[in-house]
Amino acid sequence: MDNQQSAVAALAVAVAARVPVLLWGAPGTGKTSVVRALAEGADWPCETVIASIREPADFAGLPVVSGTNDNASVEFAPPRWARRLAAVETGLLFFDEISTAPPAVQAALLRVVLERTVGDLTLPEGIAIVAAANPPEQAADGWDLSAPLANRFCHLDWPSDARRMAEGFTSGWGTPAVPELPAGWEQSVPIARSWVAGFVSVRPPLAVAVPNDAASSGRAWPSPRSWDMAARLLAAGQAAGADELVVSLLVRGAVGAGAGVEFLTWLEEADLPDPEAVLADPSSFRLPERGDRAFAALTSIAAAVASNPTAERWAAAWKVFGRAGEQAPDAAATAARTLARCRPPGAPVPPEVAAFAPLLREAQLLG
């Protein structure tokens, strides 16, 4: 798979996961066309908004006074494009040429990108948000993205590929498809978050690392918000059956190349067990020797139970934690809090809980 095809696949996964995604590339390389083709292939309406020719009120809402005297109130009316999207369950909101938006407009976009809120109108969860940008030095009156706005996107580079262009001119460009993620795929997101937690426990400086220069802070960098995006994209990529390169593009696009590569390398070397396999056979669990990997393994098991809490799964997890508490009490005690919080109604307390009873009582998780 060539680089542009990988970028298209990563874009499609991010759209399916409803994670805002920003394509960076030179002018005239097909960014706008691929976004529109993606929406057309999914039979979604696509609203294209050129941020540079809009006012902040087009995103924050135009103030409208209603009522009189003591009953007067101010509402922030959304524009027509937002009302059209609000009328459908699924669709695509495309911000083209976003790097030409001045700082005041970028500030108005913050709630739109993160919360899908335009004025007093909240767009449906099924609306995907995509943006495209030229590097500031190649854009007409280009600006670096503000750090808060940049941190709300997964950033994907859009390469110019001569072979791909030749194939498109001769045999057509094809229609990219948004993958249909299986039902319940979001139950894997807490597990991915537990992997992130294990990684940042051993690499604390990468939990939050805001770049010092404007150019770098306008791209991907690690923060709790972008790590959460990375976990969601990792779970979505695995659910979609994406290859390693696509998953790498998504994770690096969320938290930056350096942090992303370190995390993926750590995750591969950690060789963490499948939580579902452990819950099916608790006796098969082998606790990793390193503390960060032990913590990640145990928290992923607790997260798997929390996503589908049944009495059987809860009891199986405590069997694992009982053995782990003897080998790595600190890691097991921290993860045990998560497990205790997801006790199914009426589930009996297994004997393994006794080892953690003082800690859980202190946290008011055990009567």
Side-chain angles (χ1 to χ4, degrees):
M1 181 177 285
D2 60 47
N3 289 336
Q4 197 172 90
Q5 286 180 311
S6 297
V8 171
L11 168 66
V13 171
V15 167
R18 298 302 188 269
V19 172
V21 59
L22 172 53
L23 291 178
W24 287 94
T29 53
K31 302 184 298 297
T32 300
S33 297
V34 76
V35 172
R36 290 176 176 169
L38 196 70
E40 183 179 349
D43 197 23
W44 292 352
C46 178
E47 292 287 344
T48 301
V49 179
I50 309 296
S52 61
I53 61 174
R54 300 281 180 166
E55 297 292 332
D58 291 325
F59 306 108
L62 186 67
V64 177
V65 179
S66 60
T68 57
N69 300 329
D70 294 340
N71 295 322
S73 63
V74 177
E75 298 178 355
F76 291 90
R80 289 182 179 178
W81 58 263
R83 292 200 299 269
R84 287 193 295 265
L85 283 175
V88 299
E89 292 184 1
T90 55
L92 196 148
L93 173 55
F94 178 41
F95 294 116
D96 205 358
E97 307 292 348
I98 197 172
S99 58
T100 61
V105 174
Q106 291 189 29
L109 280 170
L110 295 178
R111 286 196 71 199
V112 182
V113 175
L114 183 65
E115 302 172 17
R116 294 181 173 83
T117 300
V118 186
D120 286 334
L121 176 67
T122 299
L123 299 176
E125 290 295 324
I127 301 301
I129 296 177
V130 179
N134 308 132
E137 66 274 10
Q138 297 176 355
D141 294 326
W143 302 75
D144 288 311
L145 288 193
S146 67
L149 182 58
N151 197 240
R152 285 160 162 80
F153 283 104
C154 170
H155 299 254
L156 297 177
D157 288 325
W158 182 252
S160 178
D161 191 291
R163 183 167 65 87
R164 177 71 172 165
M165 184 180 72
E167 291 176 354
F169 280 144
T170 56
S171 57
W173 302 100
T175 302
V178 177
E180 185 173 346
L181 301 180
W185 74 271
E186 288 179 292
Q187 293 182 358
S188 298
V189 176
I191 298 173
R193 287 176 181 147
S194 72
W195 296 338
V196 170
F199 171 71
V200 297
S201 70
V202 73
R203 289 289 282 125
L206 292 181
V208 183
V210 186
N212 294 323
D213 61 292
S216 299
S217 65
R219 300 296 288 263
W221 47 273
S223 74
R225 175 169 52 217
S226 59
W227 276 118
D228 188 63
M229 284 196 304
R232 185 174 179 85
L233 291 166
L234 179 58
Q238 292 177 341
D243 63 31
E244 291 184 5
L245 176 56
V246 170
V247 172
S248 176
L249 288 175
L250 291 167
V251 172
R252 288 184 283 131
V255 297
V261 168
E262 277 200 53
F263 169 64
L264 291 171
T265 302
W266 174 88
L267 187 60
E268 182 178 2
E269 293 176 350
D271 193 24
L272 298 174
D274 179 359
E276 295 299 333
V278 171
L279 292 172
D281 182 12
S283 63
S284 67
F285 179 70
R286 298 292 180 269
L287 187 71
E289 294 184 2
R290 277 181 41 173
D292 56 322
R293 296 174 183 176
F295 174 74
L298 292 170
T299 53
S300 68
I301 293 168
V305 175
S307 67
N308 181 22
T310 66
E312 293 77 14
R313 290 163 63 85
W314 198 66
W318 278 115
K319 290 181 181 179
V320 172
F321 274 63
R323 293 169 49 206
E326 300 173 358
Q327 303 174 53
D330 292 341
T334 303
R337 292 178 177 148
T338 301
L339 188 58
R341 290 190 185 98
C342 62
R343 179 185 178 184
V349 178
E352 291 84 2
V353 176
F356 304 95
L359 174 69
L360 299 180
R361 286 198 183 96
E362 182 180 350
Q364 298 182 343
L365 296 173
L366 188 67

